[in-house]
Amino acid sequence: KNEELFHGLKVTVVDGTHVTLSRTTETIEKYGLGSGSEGDCHYPQTQSVGFYNLSTGLFENFTSKHIKTPERQFALEHAKNNASPTLYLLDAGYNGMAHIAIMKYVYGQDLLMQLKMGSAFAKDFMASKRRSQIFEINLTKVHLKNYPEFKHLEGRTIKVRVIRTRGTTKLKSQLL
Protein backbone atom coordinates (compact mmCIF):
# COMPACT_ATOMS: atom_id res chain seq x y z
CA LYS A 1 0.00 0.00 0.00
CA ASN A 2 2.99 2.29 0.45
CA GLU A 3 4.22 1.72 -3.09
CA GLU A 4 5.12 4.68 -5.24
CA LEU A 5 2.97 4.71 -8.36
CA PHE A 6 3.84 6.04 -11.81
CA HIS A 7 0.83 8.01 -13.07
CA GLY A 8 -1.41 5.77 -10.95
CA LEU A 9 0.23 2.55 -12.14
CA LYS A 10 2.37 0.03 -10.32
CA VAL A 11 5.54 -0.62 -12.39
CA THR A 12 6.56 -4.26 -12.87
CA VAL A 13 9.67 -5.39 -14.73
CA VAL A 14 9.29 -8.81 -16.38
CA ASP A 15 12.12 -10.94 -17.68
CA GLY A 16 12.84 -14.61 -18.13
CA THR A 17 15.74 -17.01 -18.33
CA HIS A 18 16.39 -20.69 -18.80
CA VAL A 19 17.38 -22.39 -15.58
CA THR A 20 19.24 -25.70 -15.49
CA LEU A 21 17.95 -28.14 -12.89
CA SER A 22 19.70 -31.23 -11.54
CA ARG A 23 18.37 -34.43 -13.01
CA THR A 24 16.17 -36.05 -10.40
CA THR A 25 13.10 -38.24 -10.67
CA GLU A 26 10.95 -35.23 -9.74
CA THR A 27 12.42 -32.87 -12.36
CA ILE A 28 12.22 -35.52 -15.10
CA GLU A 29 8.54 -36.16 -14.24
CA LYS A 30 7.75 -32.44 -14.34
CA TYR A 31 10.00 -31.16 -17.18
CA GLY A 32 11.01 -34.21 -19.22
CA LEU A 33 14.49 -35.44 -20.05
CA GLY A 34 15.82 -32.19 -21.43
CA SER A 35 18.89 -32.54 -23.63
CA GLY A 36 19.49 -36.29 -23.28
CA SER A 37 18.16 -39.59 -22.07
CA GLU A 38 20.98 -40.93 -19.90
CA GLY A 39 24.12 -39.98 -18.02
CA ASP A 40 24.94 -37.39 -15.39
CA CYS A 41 25.93 -34.63 -17.80
CA HIS A 42 22.45 -34.01 -19.24
CA TYR A 43 19.98 -31.88 -17.31
CA PRO A 44 16.37 -30.86 -17.85
CA GLN A 45 15.91 -27.13 -18.30
CA THR A 46 13.00 -24.92 -17.39
CA GLN A 47 11.80 -21.47 -18.42
CA SER A 48 11.68 -19.15 -15.41
CA VAL A 49 10.23 -15.64 -15.34
CA GLY A 50 10.40 -13.06 -12.58
CA PHE A 51 8.05 -10.13 -11.90
CA TYR A 52 9.98 -7.38 -10.14
CA ASN A 53 8.08 -4.52 -8.47
CA LEU A 54 10.16 -1.45 -9.25
CA SER A 55 8.96 0.67 -6.32
CA THR A 56 9.43 -1.92 -3.58
CA GLY A 57 12.52 -3.55 -5.07
CA LEU A 58 11.04 -7.00 -4.46
CA PHE A 59 10.04 -9.92 -6.67
CA GLU A 60 6.28 -10.25 -6.37
CA ASN A 61 6.33 -13.49 -8.31
CA PHE A 62 8.89 -15.86 -9.77
CA THR A 63 7.54 -18.80 -11.74
CA SER A 64 9.07 -21.78 -13.53
CA LYS A 65 7.52 -24.04 -16.16
CA HIS A 66 8.60 -26.27 -19.03
CA ILE A 67 11.36 -24.81 -21.20
CA LYS A 68 8.98 -24.68 -24.19
CA THR A 69 6.56 -22.36 -22.34
CA PRO A 70 6.76 -18.95 -24.08
CA GLU A 71 7.74 -16.06 -21.82
CA ARG A 72 4.69 -14.14 -23.06
CA GLN A 73 2.44 -16.79 -21.47
CA PHE A 74 3.85 -15.98 -18.02
CA ALA A 75 3.14 -12.26 -18.49
CA LEU A 76 -0.43 -12.89 -19.66
CA GLU A 77 -1.13 -15.21 -16.72
CA HIS A 78 0.28 -12.63 -14.31
CA ALA A 79 -1.80 -9.82 -15.87
CA LYS A 80 -4.96 -11.95 -15.81
CA ASN A 81 -4.67 -12.37 -12.02
CA ASN A 82 -3.38 -8.85 -11.28
CA ALA A 83 -6.05 -6.55 -9.85
CA SER A 84 -3.69 -3.55 -9.60
CA PRO A 85 -3.39 -1.25 -12.63
CA THR A 86 0.17 -1.96 -13.75
CA LEU A 87 2.72 -0.79 -16.30
CA TYR A 88 4.60 -3.91 -17.40
CA LEU A 89 8.13 -3.35 -18.71
CA LEU A 90 8.87 -6.15 -21.19
CA ASP A 91 11.79 -7.04 -23.44
CA ALA A 92 11.60 -7.61 -27.19
CA GLY A 93 10.70 -11.30 -26.98
CA TYR A 94 6.96 -10.77 -27.40
CA ASN A 95 4.52 -10.81 -30.30
CA GLY A 96 4.11 -7.05 -30.22
CA MET A 97 0.72 -5.88 -31.45
CA ALA A 98 -1.30 -8.89 -30.30
CA HIS A 99 0.34 -8.80 -26.88
CA ILE A 100 -0.39 -5.07 -26.54
CA ALA A 101 -4.07 -5.61 -27.45
CA ILE A 102 -4.52 -8.53 -25.05
CA MET A 103 -2.85 -6.73 -22.15
CA LYS A 104 -4.88 -3.54 -22.71
CA TYR A 105 -8.30 -4.72 -23.88
CA VAL A 106 -8.60 -8.11 -22.18
CA TYR A 107 -6.70 -7.55 -18.91
CA GLY A 108 -6.78 -3.75 -18.60
CA GLN A 109 -3.01 -3.41 -18.16
CA ASP A 110 -0.44 -1.15 -19.84
CA LEU A 111 2.96 -2.07 -21.17
CA LEU A 112 6.19 -0.62 -22.46
CA MET A 113 8.45 -2.81 -24.58
CA GLN A 114 11.05 -2.66 -27.28
CA LEU A 115 9.60 -2.70 -30.78
CA LYS A 116 10.68 -5.50 -33.09
CA MET A 117 12.27 -4.00 -36.17
CA GLY A 118 10.43 -6.29 -38.60
CA SER A 119 7.37 -4.04 -38.51
CA ALA A 120 6.80 -2.08 -41.72
CA PHE A 121 5.85 1.10 -39.87
CA ALA A 122 9.00 0.79 -37.73
CA LYS A 123 11.18 1.11 -40.82
CA ASP A 124 9.30 4.23 -41.91
CA PHE A 125 9.52 5.67 -38.41
CA MET A 126 13.28 5.03 -38.21
CA ALA A 127 13.78 6.79 -41.54
CA SER A 128 11.78 9.82 -40.32
CA LYS A 129 14.07 10.58 -37.32
CA ARG A 130 11.03 11.62 -35.23
CA ARG A 131 11.16 11.08 -31.48
CA SER A 132 7.53 9.97 -31.07
CA GLN A 133 4.57 9.04 -33.25
CA ILE A 134 1.14 7.44 -32.72
CA PHE A 135 0.13 4.60 -35.03
CA GLU A 136 -3.21 2.86 -35.46
CA ILE A 137 -2.84 -0.86 -36.09
CA ASN A 138 -5.62 -3.15 -37.33
CA LEU A 139 -5.16 -6.60 -35.79
CA THR A 140 -5.05 -9.42 -38.33
CA LYS A 141 -4.89 -13.22 -38.23
CA VAL A 142 -1.12 -12.89 -38.62
CA HIS A 143 -0.88 -10.76 -35.46
CA LEU A 144 -2.93 -13.29 -33.49
CA LYS A 145 -1.42 -16.55 -34.82
CA ASN A 146 0.24 -17.32 -31.47
CA TYR A 147 -2.92 -16.43 -29.53
CA PRO A 148 -5.77 -18.58 -30.93
CA GLU A 149 -7.83 -18.06 -27.75
CA PHE A 150 -7.95 -14.32 -28.55
CA LYS A 151 -8.96 -14.55 -32.21
CA HIS A 152 -12.05 -12.47 -31.36
CA LEU A 153 -9.70 -9.43 -31.34
CA GLU A 154 -9.14 -9.76 -35.10
CA GLY A 155 -10.19 -6.56 -36.87
CA ARG A 156 -9.87 -4.44 -33.73
CA THR A 157 -7.85 -1.24 -34.06
CA ILE A 158 -5.29 -0.42 -31.41
CA LYS A 159 -3.34 2.80 -30.93
CA VAL A 160 0.32 2.58 -30.03
CA ARG A 161 2.85 5.31 -29.41
CA VAL A 162 6.31 4.56 -30.73
CA ILE A 163 9.09 6.40 -28.90
CA ARG A 164 12.71 6.69 -30.00
CA THR A 165 15.19 6.72 -27.13
CA ARG A 166 18.28 8.88 -27.32
CA GLY A 167 21.31 7.02 -28.59
CA THR A 168 24.74 7.31 -27.05
CA THR A 169 28.23 6.78 -28.37
CA LYS A 170 28.00 3.16 -27.15
CA LEU A 171 24.31 2.39 -27.75
CA LYS A 172 22.10 2.97 -30.78
CA SER A 173 18.71 4.55 -30.22
CA GLN A 174 15.94 2.06 -29.49
CA LEU A 175 12.26 2.06 -30.44
CA LEU A 176 9.82 1.50 -27.57
Side-chain angles (χ1 to χ4, degrees):
K1 293 183 179 179
N2 297 326
E3 294 177 3
E4 291 182 37
L5 300 179
F6 177 75
H7 297 280
L9 300 171
K10 178 173 73 170
V11 179
T12 299
V13 182
V14 183
D15 202 9
T17 187
H18 292 154
V19 175
T20 301
L21 302 174
S22 298
R23 174 174 279 177
T24 64
T25 302
E26 293 81 14
T27 57
I28 291 171
E29 285 176 4
K30 187 165 185 176
Y31 302 109
L33 289 173
S35 60
S37 59
E38 59 184 51
D40 294 333
C41 62
H42 300 284
Y43 300 97
Q45 286 188 331
T46 181
Q47 171 79 295
S48 296
V49 176
F51 296 84
Y52 182 75
N53 186 325
L54 201 57
S55 68
T56 63
L58 301 172
F59 281 95
E60 60 183 27
N61 190 356
F62 192 85
T63 308
S64 296
K65 293 189 181 181
H66 192 279
I67 191 171
K68 294 181 180 176
T69 306
E71 191 175 319
R72 64 182 179 262
Q73 184 175 325
F74 289 88
L76 291 176
E77 288 173 7
H78 187 273
K80 180 179 183 178
N81 298 313
N82 183 5
S84 302
T86 301
L87 173 64
Y88 286 85
L89 303 181
L90 307 172
D91 61 21
Y94 291 82
N95 252 34
M97 299 309 144
H99 198 75
I100 291 167
I102 295 164
M103 291 289 276
K104 185 68 178 171
Y105 297 117
V106 177
Y107 300 130
Q109 303 293 358
D110 290 292
L111 61 93
L112 177 66
M113 65 184 192
Q114 186 178 6
L115 181 66
K116 291 183 179 179
M117 295 308 295
S119 305
F121 70 86
K123 292 175 185 171
D124 293 338
F125 181 72
M126 282 301 280
S128 75
K129 302 295 183 191
R130 284 186 233 174
R131 296 263 308 146
S132 173
Q133 185 174 345
I134 294 176
F135 292 91
E136 288 191 2
I137 310 296
N138 291 318
L139 292 176
T140 66
K141 284 182 184 179
V142 174
H143 289 120
L144 297 164
K145 71 179 180 180
N146 291 324
Y147 304 96
E149 66 275 28
F150 298 107
K151 65 182 178 183
H152 64 278
L153 294 174
E154 184 180 339
R156 187 154 199 174
T157 300
I158 61 170
K159 280 187 179 183
V160 295
R161 177 181 297 274
V162 178
I163 302 166
R164 181 193 318 272
T165 64
R166 295 190 191 280
T168 67
T169 56
K170 295 181 181 181
L171 181 66
K172 291 182 180 180
S173 67
Q174 303 289 311
L175 294 185
L176 306 176

